[in-house]
Amino acid sequence: DQQVKQNSPSLSVQEGRISILNCDYTNSMFDYFLWYKKYPAEGPTFLISISSIKDKNEDGRFTVFLNKSAKHLSLHIVPSQPGDSAVYFCAASAHWSQTSYDKVIFGPGTSLSVIP
Amino acid sequence: DTEVTQTPKHLVMGMTNKKSLKCEQHMGHRAMYWYKQKAKKPPELMFVYSYEKLSINESVPSRFSPECPNSSLLNLHLHALQPEDSALYLCASSQEGPAQDTQYFGPGTRLTVL
């Protein structure tokens, strides 16, 4: 049972245009969300995060939007550049309880190709 | 500085070998993690160390043995691995623990088991 879903395995965007990567989650306990970018044979690189008390967080060309009622978040990249071509993972975490442990759950990833 | 380093970058081993993967961070983070990642899949959590103590073992086979010698170092000892254990092994660290905290990943060790 996937708790974090990225329903688009791949996405192609023209250079200079907006890339929108989507992520849905099922567990309303999640209260912290992250996006990671990953090149082949490298470790994931942290991009941007958002806490559930916010609905938007911006960092340069990257903006993450959170819609708690829809259990949906999205990553916008504007403008897209060829160097943005990578796999993007959405991840979510929560403080479950004092007796269980905390854990980050990763989505399956979306492969973004930015075409020059 | 958000750097997590891992050695070696690549490792090829036979099923009877014993080897170790090493991870280091100097960010003062108190939580460190081992993940396994197969091609086209998300990272899968293996172990979590919090304040140098093993806090999570995700039912990982005993042929993988983690060790945290101090707050900056994390090792993964490998023994009698199977070919299906071939994967990218990622180390990560975070300030405190997984909840509401950002994990920073190392570049990974590409492991091939023959």
Side-chain angles (χ1 to χ4, degrees), chain A residues 71-89:
Chain A
K71 296 194 184 70
H72 176 83
L73 63 155
S74 60
L75 175 69
H76 293 212
I77 306 173
V78 182
S80 301
Q81 299 173 353
D84 295 329
S85 298
V87 176
Y88 288 77
F89 290 101

Side-chain angles (χ1 to χ4, degrees), chain A residues 33-35 46-50 57-59 62-64 75:
Chain A
F33 304 90
L34 311 98
W35 284 95
F46 169 70
L47 272 178
I48 193 168
S49 62
I50 188 167
N57 190 23
E58 194 170 350
D59 183 2
F62 302 93
T63 303
V64 57
L75 175 69

Side-chain angles (χ1 to χ4, degrees), chain A residues 2 31-32 34 36 38 40-46 49 51-52 89 93-96 101-104 106-109, chain B residues 9 35 37 40-45 48 55-58 88 90 97-108 110:
Chain A
Q2 269 189 329
D31 56 9
Y32 190 65
L34 311 98
Y36 287 89
K38 187 178 183 303
E42 291 185 12
T45 303
F46 169 70
S49 62
S51 167
S52 59
F89 290 101
S93 72
H95 182 71
W96 303 106
Y101 55 79
D102 306 322
K103 191 171 163 178
V104 169
F106 284 86
Chain B
K9 193 165 181 158
Y35 286 85
Q37 186 173 25
K40 300 188 189 302
K41 296 286 187 184
E44 294 175 33
L45 183 67
V48 180
S55 61
I56 298 175
N57 177 341
E58 288 285 284
L88 182 68
L90 294 161
Q100 297 211 350
D101 205 358
T102 299
Q103 293 182 28
Y104 295 92
F105 285 82
R110 172 68 60 188

Side-chain angles (χ1 to χ4, degrees), chain B:
Chain B
D1 179 16
T2 56
E3 191 178 25
V4 177
T5 59
Q6 288 186 246
T7 55
K9 193 165 181 158
H10 299 277
L11 178 62
V12 179
M13 60 187 289
M15 289 191 283
T16 58
N17 292 155
K18 281 187 183 180
K19 297 284 184 184
S20 297
L21 309 185
K22 295 186 186 303
C23 173
E24 193 166 0
Q25 57 88 13
H26 293 288
M27 296 177 276
H29 288 174
R30 307 309 303 212
M32 295 185 78
Y33 312 79
W34 280 115
Y35 286 85
K36 172 183 177 179
Q37 186 173 25
K38 293 279 217 178
K40 300 188 189 302
K41 296 286 187 184
E44 294 175 33
L45 183 67
M46 300 174 73
F47 301 104
V48 180
Y49 271 83
S50 180
Y51 289 84
E52 301 165 48
K53 287 188 168 44
L54 182 65
S55 61
I56 298 175
N57 177 341
E58 288 285 284
S59 304
V60 179
S62 59
R63 57 185 185 269
F64 296 91
S65 174
E67 179 198 17
C68 189
N70 60 56
S71 60
S72 300
L73 292 174
L74 187 65
N75 298 322
L76 186 63
H77 302 297
L78 314 172
H79 175 53
L81 294 194
Q82 305 295 311
E84 60 264 28
D85 296 323
S86 299
L88 182 68
Y89 287 83
L90 294 161
C91 174
S93 71
S94 66
Q95 189 69 38
E96 293 291 336
Q100 297 211 350
D101 205 358
T102 299
Q103 293 182 28
Y104 295 92
F105 285 82
T109 294
R110 172 68 60 188
L111 174 68
T112 302
V113 182
L114 302 176

